[in-house]
Amino acid sequence: MDSLNKNDQYFYFFMASAVLLILAIPVGFANIYLGYIHNESPCTLCWFERIGMIVIGVLGMLMLRYGPQMKYIVCVFLFASYGIYMGIRHTASWWQRDIGIGLGDKLVGAHTYTWAVVVYWCVIVVMGFALLFIRKNSSMMRDLADKEIKIKPLNTYAKVVIVISFLVVCSNAFQALIINGLPPYTGKSNPDRLTFDMNIMTKTWTTDVWSRLTKFSLLGKNIPEEVFIKDLSEPKKLEFERNASLGAFEISKSIDLIKVQEILIPELNRFKHINAIAYNKNNDEFALVSNEMAVSYTKDFNTSTGFVLFDKTNGNDMRYIVDATFIGNKFIIGAANKTFTGTEKTNAPIDEMLEWQAFKETSKGISPAFFTKKKGEWYEPSRKYILTIRSKQNYVHSYASDGDFMYLITVPNQFSKKLILSYTSTKDYLLSGEKILGVGENLKLKKGRDIHDYYIVGADISQDKMLALSLRYSTLLVIDYHNAKIIDAYEIKNLDNPKSLAVKNDTIYILDRTNDQKDVIKIYKNPL
């Protein structure tokens, strides 16, 4: 490099070192130590991350030989962006799991695949610093501008780097051939340990990855359908049989409609979807909430005794409001994604800034149910959520509370078909337990049937039992929620598209969406 000035020499030394670092350390370490010594095999996503690093290393070698051509620089940034995406995709499914859980071995306290994000981020930073060496009158600036590509001389250090890099690339290709096989064989998401016994390795080769191309989705392969709310969210794959006799239980009891009550509250008339109802026995008062998170307290469904309109947009996502319940005097508003917030009537003064942050409109005397106090004087409304384990892949459509715990029941989907009862302590709203719903000894289940196609859209507690309403088969289920057992079932008549229910003494109030797109209250006798 005698023909290069000092600045150019610094650039090429810097670039050679960067190539050595990206290929020798992450790629070489993973290939030689983890692969050949530790017998750890990379999964499909690991290969995608490793291939991106190899391509960037090769681009660096091309710059050593032909100068910093614009096409090489652009490709480095593009592949670094690709690598960051692959790294995030790989690690995202493990970030929310308990401490220490992950795949494979660790490097400096972190699982190896998590380092992809760091490595590719360093590539962007290093490339940015490298570009600072390209000065106005340098040969590298001419390389950027010239159409003719000129071969650059290589010093000993650059030659050694290229030789090491070439050996690392060839070694990775050899490892890929042994583990994955020749095309059309591909990698595995859960690979087997590396061995040079080809009688064993050939039995692990698979072509399963190609089948995924026929099911391509930008959302991924494990995304369940949204919840069903008539006229608001109607997933195409969901169909609902309303005939109770076609359900899993032999039902001989039914509940007849007593009365239909229209909702005539003026404050709610401008909102298209009233989604949930709950009853507060302390104040002998109902509360209704729309999907836009407009809340109205009422005693007769004709007039409002308190009204607020939440600022729904700002805060944790609560796209679909599905049910509501009271915990003491707190009106809890639950969304399908296990996120909830609420309101509480109060005679105490409400901080004006807190009120403004939480509500777009208010009739006064209503506070957010949850808020934090900062530095002794600043309030901020909050929304809570429940992190579950068994029901992680399920939405919910029902919330209920006995005061000590709040209960949620999942709705089944194509990936997780079980009905799961999750419950959280009302002291800290952290998950206390999850149980898969079963059937009590005295309830008859049809031969060859199970309960997991019931679609529970509302629940409430009555006489130490839970009443849960299933949209599918128009059935009211009586649940011993302490033991997670369905102990009785009733056909419930004259429902169109129920959304939520509330129990007041010996009466059940069901919020129903009629087929002519009107939300009404249908009143039934409580069978308990």
Side-chain angles (χ1 to χ4, degrees), residues 21-291:
L21 288 174
I22 194 171
L23 286 179
I25 295 181
V27 179
F29 174 84
N31 171 238
I32 297 170
Y33 175 74
L34 294 180
Y36 299 141
I37 298 175
H38 207 51
N39 298 129
E40 182 177 322
S41 300
C43 68
T44 308
L45 291 177
C46 288
W47 278 120
F48 288 156
E49 293 165 354
R50 199 180 292 188
I51 288 169
M53 295 178 193
I54 290 173
V55 171
I56 289 174
V58 171
L59 288 167
M61 287 188 279
L62 290 172
M63 279 189 262
L64 289 175
R65 193 57 170 157
Y66 302 109
Q69 300 291 320
M70 181 62 71
K71 57 187 175 183
Y72 301 149
I73 295 172
V74 171
C75 285
V76 166
F77 284 115
L78 289 176
F79 274 95
S81 301
Y82 153 87
I84 289 175
Y85 164 75
M86 294 306 304
I88 292 174
R89 179 185 173 190
H90 201 171
T91 57
S93 61
W94 299 94
W95 278 340
Q96 292 189 2
R97 308 201 182 194
D98 285 7
I99 186 169
I101 295 177
L103 295 172
D105 209 345
K106 291 183 179 179
L107 175 64
V108 197
H111 288 96
T112 51
Y113 51 86
T114 63
W115 283 99
V117 177
V118 177
V119 170
Y120 283 111
W121 175 79
C122 288
V123 167
I124 292 175
V125 173
V126 169
M127 196 65 211
F129 277 114
L131 292 177
L132 294 176
F133 288 101
I134 303 178
R135 303 297 174 85
K136 186 174 182 181
N137 297 320
S138 67
S139 63
M140 292 180 290
M141 180 61 74
R142 291 193 296 272
D143 289 333
L144 284 173
D146 288 348
K147 295 181 180 179
E148 183 181 354
I149 297 177
K150 298 178 181 178
I151 298 176
K152 306 295 180 183
L154 297 174
N155 64 13
T156 303
Y157 177 58
K159 291 177 181 178
V160 170
V161 168
I162 290 175
V163 170
I164 293 174
S165 300
F166 177 76
L167 293 175
V168 169
V169 172
C170 290
S171 181
N172 273 271
F174 176 70
Q175 184 187 20
L177 178 64
I178 293 175
I179 295 172
N180 303 322
L182 290 168
Y185 294 110
T186 62
K188 294 175 67 176
S189 59
N190 188 19
D192 303 286
R193 68 179 181 275
L194 174 65
T195 176
F196 293 106
D197 186 343
M198 297 311 296
N199 290 326
I200 294 176
M201 291 308 298
T202 53
K203 294 177 182 177
T204 69
W205 294 351
T206 178
T207 59
D208 288 348
V209 171
W210 298 114
S211 63
R212 299 179 192 173
L213 298 178
T214 62
K215 303 175 183 178
F216 176 76
S217 170
L218 292 174
L219 297 177
K221 64 176 182 177
N222 295 322
I223 304 298
E225 68 271 7
E226 299 280 4
V227 292
F228 180 89
I229 304 173
K230 181 65 175 176
D231 299 325
L232 180 62
S233 171
E234 299 186 24
K236 295 180 180 179
K237 295 181 181 179
L238 286 181
E239 296 180 356
F240 295 97
E241 173 59 57
R242 308 308 172 92
N243 189 339
S245 65
L246 298 179
F249 297 114
E250 298 284 358
I251 297 178
S252 59
K253 298 174 285 188
S254 63
I255 306 173
D256 293 318
L257 176 66
I258 297 174
K259 178 184 177 182
V260 177
Q261 170 69 56
E262 291 191 21
I263 301 171
L264 302 175
I265 301 170
E267 288 84 348
L268 293 180
N269 283 344
R270 55 195 166 107
F271 300 102
K272 296 180 180 179
H273 301 277
I274 303 174
N275 282 12
I277 182 174
Y279 173 70
N280 183 4
K281 63 182 180 181
N282 296 332
N283 296 332
D284 187 24
E285 190 172 43
F286 292 93
L288 298 166
V289 59
S290 74
N291 197 64

Side-chain angles (χ1 to χ4, degrees), residues 304-406:
S304 175
T305 57
F307 173 82
V308 295
L309 174 61
F310 273 89
D311 178 4
K312 182 178 180 178
T313 304
N314 294 289
N316 293 352
D317 176 24
M318 295 184 67
R319 183 178 185 183
Y320 294 123
I321 305 301
V322 293
D323 204 7
T325 188
F326 272 96
I327 300 176
N329 290 324
K330 290 182 177 179
F331 177 54
I332 306 299
I333 304 164
N337 60 356
K338 308 182 189 82
T339 304
F340 60 97
T341 187
T343 59
E344 184 174 14
K345 283 190 170 182
T346 178
N347 293 321
I350 302 172
D351 184 273
E352 290 184 2
M353 192 62 193
L354 171 66
E355 192 176 59
W356 180 86
Q357 286 179 302
F359 308 132
K360 290 182 175 180
E361 300 176 26
T362 176
S363 61
K364 301 296 184 181
I366 300 175
S367 168
F370 308 107
F371 54 87
T372 55
K373 195 173 184 180
K374 293 186 176 181
K375 298 180 180 179
E377 58 183 25
W378 183 259
Y379 293 84
E380 186 176 82
S382 62
R383 299 176 186 179
K384 297 184 177 294
Y385 52 83
I386 301 171
L387 297 177
T388 59
I389 300 172
R390 282 193 175 96
S391 58
K392 187 179 290 289
Q393 274 197 300
N394 295 83
Y395 290 115
V396 299
H397 210 309
S398 53
Y399 287 70
S401 176
D402 60 2
D404 296 322
F405 294 92
M406 184 169 70

